[in-house]
Amino acid sequence: MSNDVDRQVQLLKTIADETRLRILGLLAAGSRTGRELAAELGLTPPTISHHMARLVEVGIVGVQVDGTRHHYTLTLDGVTTPEANLAQDPFQAKTVRTFFDGERLKQIPAKRKARVAVLLELLKRFEPGRRYSEPEVNAVLRTAHDDVATLRRELVDYRYLKRDFGYYSVTDEVPERDANEAQEVPEGEASWLAQLIRSTVPNVAG
């Protein structure tokens, strides 16, 4: 018990800093590299490195090293949500920032990998375990983009939404990917979908 209290006190002391709170706010929206954090906050890379070392040390931020780049992700002290799991993929986070302006999709990406990243972001707008009529699916997708037919078809083609007797629902099994599809989806896709599916089990059982 004493160790847990000490750990919580250390965590609170670490995040009780204006700059670190701003960093956590940015990471809550998705993964960032150290360079991106420095640019967005107007700080030098060494300053960012100092703050990130402290945040990683207390476990509230995770880091993945890709060559000379460090990708940082909010981990909530090791407690991850499906969204946080997917956000660990740097390409996913960057694509969302590039193609979305708030809730709206600026354009449907032409490149397949970027399009899949957009589809996964849109999938978050659907409630797992619920059945949607086609007009209801269109209404959800129209909040992002007017070409609802393309988005709906792509969600079904990638097996993120399944269609049965005219109704749609979020997939209840992780799709098996062939070699071509595997190159188009982010690395975190399977684990994110698996966690999303597991989160619906209590609702289905009830």
Side-chain angles (χ1 to χ4, degrees), residues 10-202:
Q10 185 61 39
L11 173 62
L12 291 173
K13 285 182 178 180
T14 300
I15 65 176
D17 176 277
E18 181 180 355
T19 299
R20 290 171 198 157
L21 288 173
R22 293 171 65 195
I23 289 171
L24 294 175
L26 290 173
L27 294 181
S31 174
R32 296 286 201 282
T33 65
R35 185 177 299 177
E36 288 171 334
L37 288 170
E40 291 183 71
L41 295 173
L43 300 173
T44 65
T47 298
I48 289 295
S49 296
H50 166 73
H51 288 297
M52 299 317 297
R54 294 294 304 277
L55 293 170
V56 170
E57 182 182 3
V58 297
I60 198 170
V61 169
V63 58
Q64 291 182 329
V65 180
D66 179 13
T68 60
R69 293 186 178 184
H70 289 66
H71 299 273
Y72 297 100
T73 303
L74 187 65
T75 63
L76 299 181
D77 198 20
V79 180
T80 58
T81 63
E83 290 79 6
N85 192 337
L86 185 64
Q88 290 178 3
D89 184 275
F91 181 83
Q92 175 74 20
K94 182 179 180 181
T95 301
V96 170
R97 293 198 302 273
T98 300
F99 285 93
F100 280 89
D101 182 8
E103 293 292 306
R104 293 292 294 177
L105 179 61
K106 300 175 187 177
Q107 66 184 73
I108 300 176
K111 293 185 177 180
R112 302 305 302 178
K113 190 170 183 177
R115 184 172 294 197
V116 171
V118 164
L119 294 176
L120 286 169
E121 184 67 17
L122 293 175
L123 188 62
K124 298 177 185 177
R125 304 189 184 188
F126 293 89
E127 180 182 344
R130 174 182 167 183
R131 298 179 72 208
Y132 293 82
S133 65
E134 187 165 301
E136 289 175 324
V137 172
N138 292 344
V140 172
L141 295 176
R142 195 168 285 113
T143 63
H145 197 276
D146 290 335
D147 190 356
V148 296
T150 295
L151 294 175
R152 187 184 67 246
R153 182 180 65 251
E154 294 279 29
L155 284 165
V156 172
D157 286 348
Y158 276 95
R159 283 97 76 200
Y160 294 139
L161 289 182
K162 62 178 184 177
R163 180 172 50 202
D164 294 306
F165 301 105
Y167 285 88
Y168 298 77
S169 58
V170 175
T171 182
D172 56 6
E173 60 182 8
V174 177
E176 293 186 8
R177 302 295 185 195
D178 60 26
N180 290 331
E181 284 186 333
Q183 295 178 353
E184 298 173 357
V185 302
E187 292 181 5
E189 183 217 35
S191 59
W192 181 76
L193 285 174
Q195 193 170 352
L196 180 71
I197 292 167
R198 287 197 300 270
S199 71
T200 70
V201 172

